Amino acid sequence: MISSLVTQVPAPPVPPGTPAEGFKAPGVEDFNLPPIFEGIPVLEWVDKVSIQFIVAALFVWAFFALATKDPKVVPGRLQFLAEKFQGIVRDQIARDNIGPEFRKYVPYLVALFAFILVNNVFGILPFVQFPSFSHPGMAYALAAITWLIYNYVGIKKQGFGGYVRLMTWPPGVPGWVRVILTPIEFLSNFILRPVTLSLRLFGNMLAGHLLLLVFIFGGEYMLTVADDLVLNVLSPFAFLFAIVMTFFEAFIQVVQAYIFTVLTASYIGASLADEH
């Protein structure tokens, strides 16, 4: 399975007897994809990643629209999958982390989980093989939306002063301790939350795919380029590790989508709580 993110440029012919170049490991620069419509200023923002985000949004919308178009008492396969997915988010994420007011936030959490999951799975999908969130922009955008939601609902319920006090003034601690904890709580709840939320998703998608590429391109180099019998013989092990890492990356993709959604729900729940 060879990733499509690096454009293969034909190399000039190498004279016989010339030693092969050393293996150059994939790096972060290989994730900088060129625009699809290069030279057209109004469309220079369109690249593979932006197309994937659009496709993912359309896929999530179409999936749930088709699944709920004609609901039946005995659901078909598509309706069953949609209801099962929604039930997991509703019962295991929203209800457990938000509390009695969880129902109004279920649609957003379902859409969030599904959108992140589809974009993550792009990283191992044949002919795509590029995780959308290995570019940090959309991760920052989703974290910003979460930040706006949990701050808005907190201010709406608690009032501005009450909400700031809730998030920065820990109850039940001595006054001199609050002097230390208040700025820490402010940084944690208002500044660091969206940063860590986005960087966790971005970092895991980037690192996982980069590691996968190392095994893929390393195995290809050992098999076809390296002038060393030992490396030629060991090359299948590199491809074997690439297969193992593909399954591991799939697991991480699901886990990271789940964690992002759970943390979003927990932030909303903390904003709505009387105390924390």
Side-chain angles (χ1 to χ4, degrees), residues 82-94:
E83 289 180 353
K84 193 69 175 178
F85 186 87
Q86 191 262 359
I88 291 173
V89 176
R90 180 194 63 213
D91 298 331
Q92 299 183 18
I93 298 179

Side-chain angles (χ1 to χ4, degrees), residues 139-168:
Y140 294 151
L142 292 183
I145 294 172
T146 291
W147 184 86
L148 289 172
I149 290 175
Y150 78 73
N151 282 305
Y152 170 77
V153 300
I155 293 172
K156 183 178 180 180
K157 179 175 181 179
Q158 316 285 353
F160 181 79
Y163 176 66
V164 172
R165 179 183 176 86
L166 173 70
M167 304 303 284
T168 62

Side-chain angles (χ1 to χ4, degrees), residues 250-270:
F251 171 73
I252 295 299
Q253 289 165 352
V254 176
V255 168
Q256 288 304 314
Y258 181 81
I259 289 175
F260 196 104
T261 310
V262 166
L263 289 176
T264 295
S266 68
Y267 296 160
I268 294 173

